[in-house]
Amino acid sequence: MALARSEAMDRLVAIPDKIYGREPQLAELQEACRWAALGSTELILLAGPPGVGKSSLVLQAFRRAISDRSWFAWGKFDVHSGNTPYGIWITCFRFLIRKMLTEPEEALVRWKTRLADTLGGGAAVLAEEIPELRLVIDGLAAPDPLPPKENQNRFEGAIRRFAQTFANARQPLVLFLDDLQWADRSSLQLLQTLIEDPEIQHVCVIGAYRDEEWIEHADLRELWLSGAATGYSVRLIRLDPLSLPDTHKFIADALKMPEGDGFPLAQLMYVKSVGNPLHLRQLLQTALDDGMIRFDPAEGRWRWDEQKLNGLPGIDGQIEYLAGKINKLPGSTSRLLAYAATAGASFTSRLVGAIGGMDETEVAVHFDHAVQAGLLFLRGEHGGAASYAFTHDRILQAAYSLLDAEERKRIHLAAGKHFLKVREEGGGSATFEIANHLNEAGDLLDNSLAECCLLMNEEAGRLAMKSADYETALRHFREALSRLTERDWRERHDFVFCL
């Protein structure tokens, strides 16, 4: 049995990145990129339910097809960690700068000149949020302060000129903004100003979203889909669940079996997964791990237990199923994954170790189990610590569901304390992380931490104002106001007045 399962796992891992049944959608993405190369500004709205493969289509199939012919960058909105002001744009542009810094010296000199000429005074504005820009353009001073509206216009203008610098006919700029349903208003409005700017050409923006979950700021989506757009092209691409033939092809490829032999198994898995690629892969993995599907070396063919497969959970029980799978991980792995979920889609072993009172190398050992189970992937290093990310938002959601309300507050408190300690040791300000975690800790804050929470929200509000993200600024200022005590109102008049 162990040998059969080992062979089964080897067969499954052979096709981790293959995309099934998406040829028309991939062709339309490539067509939009070709139009962008000709000078068009393209907005692609990629819609579909969670787990249907939106991110995989763009990051695995599409990016691979255009990687040598475009400047590609992507970012992700994260409902769990709280979005920093214009965070997704800063992530994309930092990625572009880092990629540019790998260019040969002769090309890098040309880039420095081009950026300096195009950005002008906007370079100093962007360098406040993208410190890598100072590696390219020397001698950038702090930008002059402006009133809020003028500051916002200056920042958004600098963003547009930055995008224009990278966009050209030979290599159009392709930006992938994932999980638009969780986007903040400021980031969506910046997207609108970017695509409607008549001076910007050779740009393709792909926005993926869950249509049933996009409730806030949906007026912009309706504008884009109304057909009233001028100066840019809008394409709606909808991803539906896989068909039965696509599911059959996936099963046959995963198990390296003749397609004719796998149809009954494909039917069983299709009924349970309803063609959802994420759920299909997870169910197949479980069936192999638990011996419901096994390879018979004597007969050289696959066998499966139909009764046990029928007992697997359907798509409606996906979160509960994933939570159960997490709970089956060895040792403290499930508990550490739940802690990690409070940090959002990505996190470091150092943070999770601080929360759980565990050495980060021990955390990494536990997370190896989650990586092998396909629940996490190792991103590399961040600040000298191993950096991880959940392989899908549904897995993050399942891990987060393992904590009750009081546990969540306790974990957020521990995370906030960790970032405070890092800040005090000179390891970065982490203002938004501290403010967001302490806000979630609620009534667990003592007087000292309550004061810290007040100050961090005030600071976060000011930083958001500086970045012209007034929606985020208002949220933090309101949080700070809600934490003022009667004594504050009596004795800290100047501070209260500023708030």
Side-chain angles (χ1 to χ4, degrees), residues 1-6 8-9 255 265 269 282-296 301-309 312 328:
M1 181 65 72
L3 180 62
R5 290 186 194 178
S6 175
M9 289 307 300
L255 303 181
L265 176 59
M269 301 302 287
Q282 294 290 337
L283 290 179
L284 184 57
Q285 183 87 55
T286 295
L288 288 164
D289 289 344
D290 294 350
M292 301 177 197
I293 302 174
R294 64 190 187 280
F295 187 73
D296 186 338
R301 62 187 299 267
W302 289 94
R303 296 186 178 277
W304 52 89
D305 189 321
E306 184 173 340
Q307 183 176 357
K308 289 183 178 179
L309 290 175
L312 289 171
K328 291 180 180 178

Coordinates of all heavy atoms in Angstrom, one line a residue, residues 1-6 8-9 255 265 269 282-296 301-309 312 328:
M1 N 0.8 -1.2 0.0 CA 0.0 0.0 0.0 C 0.9 1.2 0.0 O 0.6 2.2 -0.7 CB -0.9 0.0 1.2 CG -1.9 1.2 1.3 SD -3.0 1.3 -0.1 CE -4.1 -0.1 0.4
A2 N 1.9 1.3 0.8 CA 2.8 2.5 0.9 C 3.5 2.7 -0.4 O 3.6 3.8 -0.9 CB 3.8 2.3 2.0
L3 N 3.9 1.6 -1.1 CA 4.5 1.7 -2.4 C 3.5 2.3 -3.4 O 3.9 3.1 -4.2 CB 5.1 0.4 -2.9 CG 5.8 0.3 -4.2 CD1 7.0 1.2 -4.2 CD2 6.1 -1.1 -4.6
A4 N 2.3 1.8 -3.4 CA 1.3 2.2 -4.3 C 1.0 3.7 -4.2 O 0.9 4.5 -5.1 CB 0.0 1.4 -4.2
R5 N 0.9 4.1 -2.9 CA 0.6 5.6 -2.6 C 1.8 6.4 -3.1 O 1.6 7.5 -3.6 CB 0.3 5.8 -1.1 CG -1.0 5.2 -0.7 CD -1.3 5.5 0.7 NE -2.4 4.7 1.2 CZ -2.8 4.8 2.5 NH1 -2.3 5.6 3.3 NH2 -3.8 4.0 2.9
S6 N 3.0 5.9 -2.8 CA 4.2 6.7 -3.3 C 4.2 6.9 -4.8 O 4.4 8.0 -5.3 CB 5.4 6.0 -2.8 OG 6.6 6.7 -3.3
A8 N 1.6 6.8 -6.7 CA 0.5 7.6 -7.0 C 0.8 9.1 -6.9 O 0.5 9.9 -7.7 CB -0.8 7.3 -6.2
M9 N 1.5 9.4 -5.8 CA 1.9 10.8 -5.5 C 2.9 11.3 -6.6 O 2.8 12.4 -7.1 CB 2.5 10.9 -4.2 CG 1.6 10.8 -3.0 SD 0.2 11.9 -3.2 CE 1.0 13.5 -3.2
L255 N -3.0 10.7 -13.3 CA -2.7 9.3 -13.0 C -1.9 8.6 -14.1 O -1.7 7.4 -13.9 CB -4.0 8.6 -12.6 CG -4.8 9.2 -11.5 CD1 -6.1 8.4 -11.2 CD2 -4.0 9.3 -10.2
L265 N -14.1 7.0 -13.1 CA -13.5 7.8 -12.0 C -13.7 9.3 -12.2 O -14.0 10.0 -11.2 CB -12.0 7.4 -11.9 CG -11.2 8.2 -10.8 CD1 -11.8 8.0 -9.4 CD2 -9.7 7.8 -10.9
M269 N -15.4 12.0 -9.6 CA -14.8 13.2 -9.1 C -15.4 14.5 -9.6 O -15.4 15.5 -8.9 CB -13.3 13.2 -9.6 CG -12.5 12.0 -9.1 SD -12.5 11.8 -7.3 CE -11.4 13.2 -6.8
Q282 N -7.8 19.0 -4.6 CA -7.7 18.6 -3.2 C -8.4 17.2 -3.0 O -7.9 16.4 -2.2 CB -8.4 19.7 -2.4 CG -7.7 21.0 -2.4 CD -6.4 21.0 -1.6 OE1 -6.2 20.1 -0.7 NE2 -5.5 21.9 -1.9
L283 N -9.5 17.0 -3.6 CA -10.2 15.7 -3.5 C -9.3 14.5 -4.0 O -9.3 13.5 -3.4 CB -11.5 15.7 -4.2 CG -12.6 16.6 -3.6 CD1 -13.9 16.5 -4.4 CD2 -12.9 16.2 -2.1
L284 N -8.7 14.8 -5.2 CA -7.9 13.7 -5.7 C -6.7 13.4 -4.8 O -6.3 12.3 -4.6 CB -7.4 14.1 -7.1 CG -6.6 13.1 -7.9 CD1 -7.4 11.8 -8.0 CD2 -6.2 13.6 -9.2
Q285 N -6.1 14.5 -4.3 CA -5.0 14.3 -3.3 C -5.4 13.5 -2.1 O -4.7 12.6 -1.7 CB -4.5 15.7 -2.9 CG -3.3 15.7 -2.0 CD -2.0 15.7 -2.7 OE1 -1.8 16.5 -3.6 NE2 -1.2 14.7 -2.5
T286 N -6.6 13.8 -1.6 CA -7.1 13.1 -0.4 C -7.4 11.6 -0.7 O -7.0 10.7 0.0 CB -8.4 13.8 0.1 OG1 -8.0 15.1 0.6 CG2 -9.0 13.0 1.3
A287 N -8.0 11.4 -1.9 CA -8.3 10.1 -2.3 C -7.1 9.2 -2.4 O -7.0 8.0 -2.1 CB -9.1 10.1 -3.6
L288 N -6.0 9.8 -2.9 CA -4.7 9.1 -3.1 C -4.1 8.8 -1.7 O -3.6 7.7 -1.4 CB -3.8 9.9 -4.0 CG -4.1 9.9 -5.5 CD1 -3.3 11.0 -6.2 CD2 -3.8 8.5 -6.1
D289 N -4.1 9.9 -0.9 CA -3.5 9.8 0.5 C -4.2 8.7 1.3 O -3.5 8.0 2.1 CB -3.5 11.1 1.2 CG -2.6 12.1 0.6 OD1 -1.7 11.7 -0.2 OD2 -2.7 13.3 0.9
D290 N -5.5 8.6 1.2 CA -6.3 7.7 2.0 C -6.5 6.3 1.4 O -7.2 5.5 1.9 CB -7.6 8.3 2.4 CG -7.5 9.6 3.3 OD1 -6.4 9.8 3.8 OD2 -8.5 10.3 3.5
G291 N -5.9 6.1 0.2 CA -6.0 4.8 -0.4 C -7.4 4.6 -1.1 O -7.6 3.4 -1.5
M292 N -8.2 5.6 -1.3 CA -9.5 5.4 -2.0 C -9.2 5.1 -3.5 O -9.9 4.4 -4.2 CB -10.4 6.6 -1.9 CG -10.7 7.0 -0.4 SD -11.7 8.5 -0.4 CE -11.6 9.0 1.3
I293 N -8.1 5.7 -4.0 CA -7.6 5.4 -5.3 C -6.2 4.9 -5.2 O -5.4 5.5 -4.5 CB -7.6 6.7 -6.2 CG1 -8.9 7.4 -6.3 CG2 -7.0 6.4 -7.6 CD1 -8.9 8.7 -7.0
R294 N -6.0 3.7 -5.7 CA -4.6 3.1 -5.5 C -4.2 2.4 -6.8 O -5.1 2.0 -7.6 CB -4.7 2.1 -4.4 CG -5.6 0.9 -4.6 CD -5.8 0.1 -3.4 NE -6.5 -1.1 -3.6 CZ -7.9 -1.2 -3.7 NH1 -8.6 -0.1 -3.6 NH2 -8.5 -2.3 -4.0
F295 N -2.9 2.3 -7.0 CA -2.4 1.7 -8.2 C -2.1 0.2 -7.8 O -1.5 -0.1 -6.8 CB -1.1 2.4 -8.6 CG -0.5 1.8 -9.9 CD1 -1.2 2.1 -11.1 CD2 0.6 1.0 -9.9 CE1 -0.7 1.7 -12.3 CE2 1.1 0.5 -11.1 CZ 0.5 0.9 -12.3
D296 N -2.6 -0.7 -8.7 CA -2.3 -2.1 -8.5 C -1.2 -2.5 -9.4 O -1.3 -2.7 -10.6 CB -3.6 -2.9 -8.9 CG -3.5 -4.4 -8.6 OD1 -2.3 -4.9 -8.4 OD2 -4.5 -5.1 -8.5
R301 N -2.7 -1.3 -13.2 CA -3.8 -0.4 -13.5 C -4.3 0.2 -12.2 O -3.9 -0.3 -11.1 CB -5.0 -1.1 -14.1 CG -5.6 -2.3 -13.3 CD -6.6 -3.1 -14.1 NE -7.7 -2.3 -14.5 CZ -8.9 -2.1 -13.8 NH1 -9.0 -2.8 -12.6 NH2 -9.8 -1.4 -14.2
W302 N -5.1 1.2 -12.3 CA -5.6 1.9 -11.1 C -6.9 1.3 -10.7 O -7.7 0.8 -11.5 CB -5.9 3.4 -11.4 CG -4.6 4.2 -11.6 CD1 -3.9 4.5 -12.7 CD2 -3.9 4.8 -10.5 NE1 -2.8 5.2 -12.5 CE2 -2.7 5.4 -11.1 CE3 -4.0 4.9 -9.2 CZ2 -1.8 6.1 -10.4 CZ3 -3.1 5.6 -8.4 CH2 -2.0 6.2 -9.0
R303 N -7.1 1.3 -9.4 CA -8.4 0.8 -8.8 C -8.9 1.9 -7.8 O -8.1 2.6 -7.3 CB -8.2 -0.5 -8.0 CG -7.8 -1.7 -8.9 CD -7.8 -3.0 -8.2 NE -7.4 -4.1 -9.0 CZ -8.3 -4.7 -9.8 NH1 -9.6 -4.4 -9.8 NH2 -7.9 -5.8 -10.6
W304 N -10.2 1.9 -7.6 CA -10.8 2.9 -6.7 C -12.0 2.3 -6.0 O -12.7 1.4 -6.5 CB -11.1 4.2 -7.4 CG -12.0 4.1 -8.6 CD1 -13.3 4.1 -8.7 CD2 -11.5 3.9 -10.0 NE1 -13.7 3.9 -10.0 CE2 -12.6 3.8 -10.8 CE3 -10.2 3.9 -10.5 CZ2 -12.5 3.7 -12.2 CZ3 -10.2 3.7 -11.9 CH2 -11.3 3.6 -12.7
D305 N -12.2 2.9 -4.8 CA -13.4 2.4 -4.0 C -14.5 3.4 -4.2 O -14.5 4.5 -3.6 CB -13.0 2.4 -2.5 CG -14.0 1.8 -1.6 OD1 -15.2 2.0 -1.9 OD2 -13.6 1.0 -0.7
E306 N -15.5 3.0 -5.0 CA -16.6 4.0 -5.4 C -17.4 4.4 -4.2 O -17.8 5.6 -4.0 CB -17.5 3.3 -6.4 CG -18.6 4.2 -6.9 CD -19.4 3.6 -8.0 OE1 -18.9 2.6 -8.7 OE2 -20.5 4.0 -8.3
Q307 N -17.6 3.5 -3.2 CA -18.4 3.9 -2.0 C -17.7 5.0 -1.2 O -18.3 5.9 -0.8 CB -18.6 2.6 -1.2 CG -19.5 2.9 0.0 CD -19.8 1.6 0.8 OE1 -19.4 0.5 0.4 NE2 -20.6 1.8 1.9
K308 N -16.4 4.8 -1.0 CA -15.6 5.8 -0.2 C -15.5 7.1 -1.0 O -15.6 8.2 -0.4 CB -14.2 5.2 0.1 CG -14.2 4.1 1.1 CD -12.8 3.7 1.5 CE -12.8 2.6 2.6 NZ -11.5 2.1 2.9
L309 N -15.4 7.1 -2.3 CA -15.3 8.3 -3.0 C -16.6 9.1 -3.0 O -16.6 10.3 -2.9 CB -14.9 8.0 -4.5 CG -13.5 7.5 -4.8 CD1 -13.3 7.2 -6.2 CD2 -12.5 8.6 -4.4
L312 N -16.8 11.5 -0.1 CA -16.1 12.7 -0.1 C -17.0 13.9 -0.1 O -18.1 13.9 -0.6 CB -15.1 12.8 -1.3 CG -13.9 11.9 -1.2 CD1 -13.2 11.9 -2.6 CD2 -13.0 12.3 -0.1
K328 N -5.6 17.5 10.1 CA -4.9 16.2 10.0 C -3.4 16.3 9.9 O -2.7 15.3 10.0 CB -5.5 15.4 8.8 CG -6.9 15.0 9.0 CD -7.4 14.2 7.8 CE -8.8 13.7 8.0 NZ -9.3 13.0 6.8

